[in-house]
Amino acid sequence: MSNTGSHKTREIFVEGPIGPAFIAESIAKHSTRTDIGGHEIFLGQVRADATDIGSIGAIEYTAYRDMANEQMIVIREEAFARWPITCLHVYHSLGTIQAGELCFFVFASAPHRREARESVAFVTDEVKKRLPIFGKEILSEGGHQWKRNS
Amino acid sequence: MSNTGSHKTREIFVEGPIGPAFIAESIAKHSTRTDIGGHEIFLGQVRADATDIGSIGAIEYTAYRDMANEQMIVIREEAFARWPITCLHVYHSLGTIQAGELCFFVFASAPHRREARESVAFVTDEVKKRLPIFGKEILSEGGHQWKRNS
Amino acid sequence: MEVLLFGSIAEKAGASILRVEAGSMEQLRTELLMRIPELKEMRYAIAVDKQVVHADRELKGTEEIAVLPPFAGG
Amino acid sequence: MEVLLFGSIAEKAGASILRVEAGSMEQLRTELLMRIPELKEMRYAIAVDKQVVHADRELKGTEEIAVLPPFAGG
């Protein structure tokens, strides 16, 4: 585990939905980094899917927080080893997120767009695969079921 | 040229840099679309590159505006034909954009992340290739040179 | 040892922490199936000190154990 | 016909619009090289009614013509 500014342990979880203003602040912070040429962002939004037993009104997220933050360090190191990116920020919601609200925010910056693009794709996919985050899908008509990433 | 809401002619140019607050507003507008599961965003930022004749302090963008907006309609139609995306928004700056400021904003939303991701990559690349936009790189030490996409 | 339970597994167990005695992963698995019979029909992984472990191995009793249903982040 | 000039080409010409008489793309190219000799060393494309045209063809004189240096958006 390296100790550089880019790789240090961070808390990725935030309580409640990720607000557009938070995203704007994250973007604005990068205006002093004039070696950056491109930012790539992925945002996950809770979808009101129709399921066999009703439509999803919200997802209640929980996580094995310490393990998720540790796994995130590993994914970060892999991303920085593979691409010459300048920064990488990842946030995930905990608690109840309504359909239409944002629950996941992946943000990479790099001198050129290809690196930013590829590292966001990688990190988004790996977070979904490797972080112990659990989602209880709350149905609008009452009841719930458990989300699973395919 | 189709007449549907998704494909209609739009003005892609904005005067001056693209502000983080504008990006936040664009994101926030999508919270009513509960069929969206993922948003992908690319942001182009002016880089203070060192060149043979000095370092870039700003880029002054001009465009053949009518042709660019028409080319953008074609690229939009191609993107909507290839991927089941929900929305696609593209903005590009005109005028002087300082190093560290944002000049290009590509934003796609879709039920699933793969479509959003691939369509943003496609649109970003095609805009750079096919839209008649011109960039005068203003050097911090005085003088200028003309940007060209490789 | 304390075993942390999450998501659908915590729901089935009606608890988010179980106290279990087990000297190996094998014993732990057997013990968990007795305490939470529904596990038989569920997909889950066991993490030892925050790393998923599949093979059998000894447990000292000081490890942090967690039973994890399918991941669903994003 | 009016010919719109952009970017580095407008800079070299010292103007953003030229009036040129030409009945074909060939004539237009010849005329442009006489009016803006620096074009010989530049990469550029010619758009007719907002579409880049490479081949020779007749021009009626009512088309919107533009001379475009390399694109640099993004």
Side-chain angles (χ1 to χ4, degrees), chain B residues 61 63-64 66-67 70-71 92 103-104 128-136 144 146-149, chain D residues 4 6-9 11 42-43 47 49-52 64-74:
Chain B
Y61 281 109
Y64 182 13
D66 289 350
M67 179 175 161
E70 277 194 17
Q71 288 290 316
H92 198 291
C103 60
F104 185 29
K128 285 175 177 252
K129 268 188 249 170
R130 288 153 66 177
L131 263 55
I133 299 171
F134 313 104
K136 186 175 176 175
H144 71 269
W146 291 90
K147 177 174 185 285
R148 63 163 61 194
N149 290 342
Chain D
L4 308 175
F6 291 93
S8 54
I9 294 170
E11 181 182 53
M42 298 173 84
R43 275 185 54 208
D49 290 335
K50 305 182 198 90
Q51 298 284 343
V52 171
E64 182 172 307
I65 306 288
V67 189
L68 308 173
F71 298 173

Side-chain angles (χ1 to χ4, degrees), chain D:
Chain D
M1 59 181 53
E2 281 188 349
V3 175
L4 308 175
L5 307 178
F6 291 93
S8 54
I9 294 170
E11 181 182 53
K12 295 288 188 215
S16 56
I17 300 184
L18 285 184
R19 281 212 61 85
V20 173
E21 298 309 315
S24 71
M25 285 290 288
E26 273 299 306
Q27 279 179 30
L28 176 64
R29 287 179 192 278
T30 308
E31 194 66 27
L32 286 171
L33 278 167
M34 286 193 351
R35 304 280 289 274
I36 317 167
E38 296 92 337
L39 271 183
K40 212 162 33 174
E41 274 85 50
M42 298 173 84
R43 275 185 54 208
Y44 64 97
I46 296 177
V48 178
D49 290 335
K50 305 182 198 90
Q51 298 284 343
V52 171
V53 170
H54 297 289
D56 191 22
R57 67 177 237 193
E58 275 185 31
L59 295 172
K60 287 182 293 197
T62 53
E63 296 89 346
E64 182 172 307
I65 306 288
V67 189
L68 308 173
F71 298 173

Side-chain angles (χ1 to χ4, degrees), chain C residues 30-48:
Chain C
T30 307
E31 194 66 27
L32 286 171
L33 279 167
M34 287 195 347
R35 304 280 289 274
I36 317 167
E38 295 92 337
L39 271 183
K40 208 157 40 171
E41 274 85 49
M42 298 175 83
R43 276 185 53 208
Y44 64 96
I46 296 177
V48 178

Side-chain angles (χ1 to χ4, degrees), chain B residues 9-25:
Chain B
T9 314
R10 295 172 192 214
E11 177 60 51
I12 72 159
F13 293 105
V14 295
E15 273 304 319
I18 293 161
F22 178 80
I23 297 163
E25 279 166 39

Side-chain angles (χ1 to χ4, degrees), chain C residues 7-53:
Chain C
S8 54
I9 295 169
E11 181 183 51
K12 295 288 188 215
S16 57
I17 300 184
L18 285 184
R19 281 212 62 87
V20 173
E21 298 308 315
S24 71
M25 287 290 287
E26 273 299 307
Q27 278 179 29
L28 175 64
R29 286 179 193 280
T30 307
E31 194 66 27
L32 286 171
L33 279 167
M34 287 195 347
R35 304 280 289 274
I36 317 167
E38 295 92 337
L39 271 183
K40 208 157 40 171
E41 274 85 49
M42 298 175 83
R43 276 185 53 208
Y44 64 96
I46 296 177
V48 178
D49 290 335
K50 306 181 196 91
Q51 299 284 343
V52 171
V53 170

Side-chain angles (χ1 to χ4, degrees), chain A residues 10-114:
Chain A
R10 296 173 191 213
E11 176 61 52
I12 70 160
F13 293 106
V14 295
E15 274 303 319
I18 292 162
F22 178 81
I23 296 163
E25 279 165 40
S26 296
I27 294 167
K29 279 180 192 156
H30 292 77
S31 63
T32 53
R33 292 295 307 259
T34 57
D35 54 339
I36 292 174
H39 307 283
E40 186 92 16
I41 292 171
F42 175 77
L43 300 170
Q45 179 166 309
V46 173
R47 220 171 42 232
D49 276 357
T51 76
D52 292 349
I53 58 167
S55 72
I56 294 169
I59 297 179
E60 191 187 313
Y61 281 107
T62 53
Y64 181 12
R65 212 160 159 155
D66 289 349
M67 179 175 163
N69 282 317
E70 277 195 16
Q71 287 291 314
M72 192 60 231
I73 295 171
V74 177
I75 297 170
R76 285 180 67 81
E77 303 246 339
E78 290 174 13
F80 276 94
R82 263 174 85 167
W83 294 280
I85 51 178
T86 311
C87 335
L88 174 63
H89 306 280
V90 177
Y91 299 96
H92 198 290
S93 293
L94 292 180
T96 302
I97 314 303
Q98 302 296 325
E101 291 182 328
L102 303 171
C103 59
F104 186 27
F105 175 24
V106 180
F107 179 12
S109 309
H112 299 280
R113 69 189 185 285
R114 195 184 60 81

Side-chain angles (χ1 to χ4, degrees), chain B residues 8 12 26 29 31 34 53 83 95 100 129 135:
Chain B
K8 68 178 185 286
I12 72 159
S26 297
K29 280 180 191 157
S31 63
T34 56
I53 57 168
W83 292 280
K129 268 188 249 170

